[in-house]
Amino acid sequence: MHGLLPALKRGFKRWIGWRRLGVAASVFIIAFAITTLVRTLKHIDTGVILTALTEIPRANIGLAAICVVFAFCTLTFYDFFALRTIGKKHVPYRIAALSSFTSYSIGHNIGATVFTGGAIRFRIYSDYGLNAIDVAKICFLSGLTFWLGNIFVLSIGMVIHPDAASSMDQLPSSINRLIGLGGLASIGAYLVWLCLGEKRRELGQKGWKVALPSAPLTLVQILIGVVDLGFCATAMYLLMPANPPIDFISLAVVFILATLIGFASHAPGSIGVFDVAMLVALPEFGREQLLATLLVFRILYFVIPFGLAISIMGARELWMNVVEPWQERRRLAEACAQANLPKQVAAMERERSLRQASKR
């Protein structure tokens, strides 16, 4: 029995591994979501969906769009906070904002956010002297901000409204309340652990070592995640059908759980996974009305930012690889022309002097 566990561990690493297990879990989540979504949409009336779209107040759509803008503005502080944490203070906020917005918008829509988002970050930050390890640290700290904010908000929501989570995880309300209390306790324990000394806050070894933020800065980190989630959940709340009524905290719990499931699936834009989670968790709403809400939210939060991010990155690459080299070549040509101008003038003066001398 003593040698069984090490043997199982070696066999797991050799034949399965965490990477393959993660891929299998993602495929299972996506397949299950697609199957459920097809079954749910089997008797959907597209005409009713179009009617439901027109019933969403334009003022609510405008307010939801404003919330999405503020959510992405808050999102820019994920990278800015991470840059200051690892000591890269020479990188300005505008570059951190560009990296956060483009990496999240493009990476989350394409899928495999860790790789696509990391590649975009490296493309931007490499111009400021950051290497791959620095970018990996930024991705890690940004992800930590995301998870701390999600766990904090979700835990509070599950303590206050455990029934909202029960509609999705099918667990009793008492168990969900305990899970929420456990989440808050884990964050409290993490903050206490951070207070025990700076050495404890260092993770990694050799070339890869990152110092976690202190307890006060971690509170700021949690606040960034909470504000981001608050704006996103508010945007969804504004787009929800008026009947039946639903309170904000219950919707926020469902929204965060659906977001996390979509994030875990690594599906492009969490498409299918996020949507089916919302449909399953909110059966009291008409499917056509809820699909109309999800469609508008996707346009505001996924489609428009993705188009903007692609345009910004395309314009940036065009400027850096075409326009700037052309401007540099033009400046060099002008400088060479100005350098040769005195020689040409002197040659012309000599020719004129010779012509005058020959006339005499």
Side-chain angles (χ1 to χ4, degrees):
M1 185 66 182
H2 179 71
L4 180 61
L5 290 177
L8 290 173
K9 184 178 179 181
R10 288 193 300 271
F12 175 80
K13 288 184 176 179
R14 181 178 179 182
W15 300 107
I16 302 176
W18 290 110
R19 182 175 176 276
R20 292 177 183 174
L21 184 64
V23 171
S26 298
V27 171
F28 173 78
I29 292 172
I30 294 171
F32 178 77
I34 291 174
T35 303
T36 307
L37 189 62
V38 169
R39 192 185 309 120
T40 304
L41 301 181
K42 187 175 292 183
H43 302 292
I44 289 294
D45 188 343
T46 55
V48 177
I49 295 177
L50 294 175
T51 303
L53 285 172
T54 62
E55 291 175 351
I56 301 176
R58 293 185 180 180
N60 285 20
I61 295 176
L63 290 172
I66 292 172
C67 287
V68 169
V69 170
F70 280 120
F72 276 101
C73 288
T74 308
L75 190 71
T76 61
F77 289 97
Y78 280 52
D79 274 35
F80 188 67
F81 180 88
L83 285 164
R84 294 305 180 262
T85 300
I86 66 174
K88 303 300 180 182
K89 298 181 179 180
H90 66 285
V91 181
Y93 168 75
R94 58 183 176 82
I95 299 301
L98 172 67
S99 175
S100 282
F101 175 69
T102 54
S103 63
Y104 181 84
S105 300
I106 297 174
H108 197 58
N109 277 279
I110 293 177
T113 311
V114 174
F115 301 104
T116 53
I120 293 170
R121 281 188 170 102
F122 182 75
R123 180 68 186 93
I124 294 173
Y125 288 136
S126 60
D127 293 335
Y128 286 81
L130 274 65
N131 55 33
I133 294 177
D134 295 326
V135 173
K137 292 178 181 179
I138 293 169
C139 292
F140 169 75
L141 290 169
S142 298
L144 184 61
T145 303
F146 172 82
W147 283 106
L148 285 173
N150 274 271
I151 292 171
F152 182 76
V153 176
L154 184 59
S155 298
I156 291 178
M158 292 178 74
V159 170
I160 298 173
H161 283 284
D163 293 337
S166 297
S167 61
M168 186 174 294
D169 59 22
Q170 302 300 309
L171 294 174
S173 298
S174 57
I175 299 297
N176 280 326
R177 183 170 275 119
L178 286 175
I179 293 173
L181 291 171
L184 292 174
S186 65
I187 290 180
Y190 176 67
L191 291 170
V192 171
W193 179 74
L194 291 175
C195 294
L196 295 179
E198 291 188 7
K199 290 293 182 181
R200 288 180 176 270
R201 293 195 285 114
E202 291 185 353
L203 297 180
Q205 56 185 351
K206 297 181 181 179
W208 197 100
K209 184 176 285 188
V210 60
L212 294 172
S214 63
L217 286 177
T218 299
L219 292 175
V220 176
Q221 194 176 16
I222 293 173
L223 180 62
I224 293 171
V226 169
V227 173
D228 175 34
L229 282 171
F231 280 123
C232 293
T234 302
M236 177 63 76
Y237 183 74
L238 288 166
L239 297 172
M240 291 295 292
N243 290 306
I246 184 172
D247 63 278
F248 177 77
I249 295 178
S250 295
L251 179 66
V253 170
V254 171
F255 176 80
I256 294 171
L257 283 172
T259 301
L260 293 179
I261 294 172
F263 184 81
S265 71
H266 295 288
S270 301
I271 191 163
V273 182
F274 172 80
D275 311 88
V276 76
M278 294 290 292
L279 288 166
V280 169
L282 299 171
E284 65 269 27
F285 291 94
R287 288 178 295 177
E288 289 85 358
Q289 287 74 21
L290 191 52
L291 281 172
T293 294
L294 293 171
L295 178 60
V296 176
F297 181 80
R298 278 200 167 277
I299 292 172
L300 293 178
Y301 193 76
F302 290 95
V303 177
I304 294 176
F306 180 63
L308 286 173
I310 288 290
S311 301
I312 290 171
M313 286 301 294
R316 183 178 183 271
E317 292 299 320
L318 180 66
W319 179 267
M320 294 179 64
N321 295 293
V322 177
V323 177
E324 282 190 346
W326 174 76
Q327 289 180 338
E328 185 64 25
R329 289 194 299 269
R330 185 177 178 182
R331 282 195 295 268
L332 287 173
E334 290 176 352
C336 291
Q338 291 177 357
N340 293 328
L341 186 60
K343 296 179 181 179
Q344 295 173 356
V345 170
M348 291 173 64
E349 288 292 333
R350 284 197 299 272
E351 289 182 8
R352 189 174 65 177
S353 299
L354 289 172
R355 283 198 300 267
Q356 290 177 349
S358 62
K359 288 179 180 178
R360 296 195 191 105

